Amino acid sequence: ETFISQKVDALIVAPTDSSGIGPLIKEAMEKKIPVFTVDITVKDVDVICHIASDNYQGGQLLGKFLAEQLGGKGKVAIIDHPTVTSVQERVKGFEDALKAYPQIEIVQKVPGEGQRDKAMRAVQDLIASRPDLDSIFGINDDSALGALAAVESAGLQNKIKIVGFDATPEACNAILEGKALIADIAQYPKEIGKSAIETVADFFDGKEIPKLKPIPVKLITKESLLKDRSAQNVSQ
């Protein structure tokens, strides 16, 4: 509201609520203030360009890797947060990748709201109701680490495989230590920020701007982390 009243030349917005921010974004666009969104989209409102990690690609990479680790069969649960558009894309990519493996079944989606404690409680309930569970996809690392705490508490760390999204240092350490968390997705926020500024500059230069600029992501495993660590040691 303040930026609109100040009549700024452009807005870059990273929404925490894809729906709630919509009316203000619409107002800005109607007042000829170009809006660019990063990381999370605004729901049902047109903006100049959205710059974000390729969340769908990340979900696909995790789904394929997990399917291979399960030998093409098993029961999977998702710790979800469906009100966020980036999460919807991650889950869609994950589900689409698993379609190639008919013996893998997504048995349940439970809400974790992206919070570690809620994810942990959700997984505790999940484990109690689904003793046949083989794996869990946490839509961010707090969800995955909450799931990890519940799985370890139940002594099922050698049975249930977990994958996450964000590649935070804590999650990467868990992967390196050989815990039940076996894979993650690394995003590149600096690239998102850099691309956002470049896109605004291109817009003011009169260049044609795509509606979406996806920033590639990377699958993180114990092997890739060890390889990266080895490469860093060599360069030093």
Side-chain angles (χ1 to χ4, degrees), residues 53 64 89 174 210:
S53 296
K64 186 174 185 297
E89 292 162 8

Side-chain angles (χ1 to χ4, degrees), residues 147-158:
L148 178 63
V151 166
E152 288 182 337
S153 178
L156 296 171
Q157 59 268 27
N158 295 321

Side-chain angles (χ1 to χ4, degrees), residues 90-182:
R90 293 172 192 181
V91 172
K92 179 74 164 58
F94 184 76
E95 290 175 329
D96 285 353
L98 292 186
K99 286 177 183 176
Y101 303 88
Q103 293 186 68
I104 294 181
E105 180 187 0
I106 297 174
V107 294
Q108 206 164 339
K109 291 183 187 177
V110 294
E113 297 182 27
Q115 298 176 31
R116 191 178 305 203
D117 59 337
K118 290 185 178 180
M120 183 177 72
R121 289 195 295 272
V123 172
Q124 286 171 337
D125 293 340
L126 194 59
I127 289 169
S129 64
R130 299 290 320 201
D132 57 345
L133 194 65
D134 298 299
S135 58
I136 297 168
F137 168 34
I139 52 82
N140 67 354
D141 277 346
D142 271 337
S143 299
L145 290 166
L148 178 63
V151 166
E152 288 182 337
S153 178
L156 296 171
Q157 59 268 27
N158 295 321
K159 179 183 184 297
I160 297 176
K161 301 180 190 300
I162 302 166
V163 294
F165 208 111
D166 285 335
T168 61
E170 186 179 356
C172 288
N173 285 336
I175 293 170
L176 275 170
E177 289 168 10
K179 296 192 174 184
L181 181 57
I182 60 168

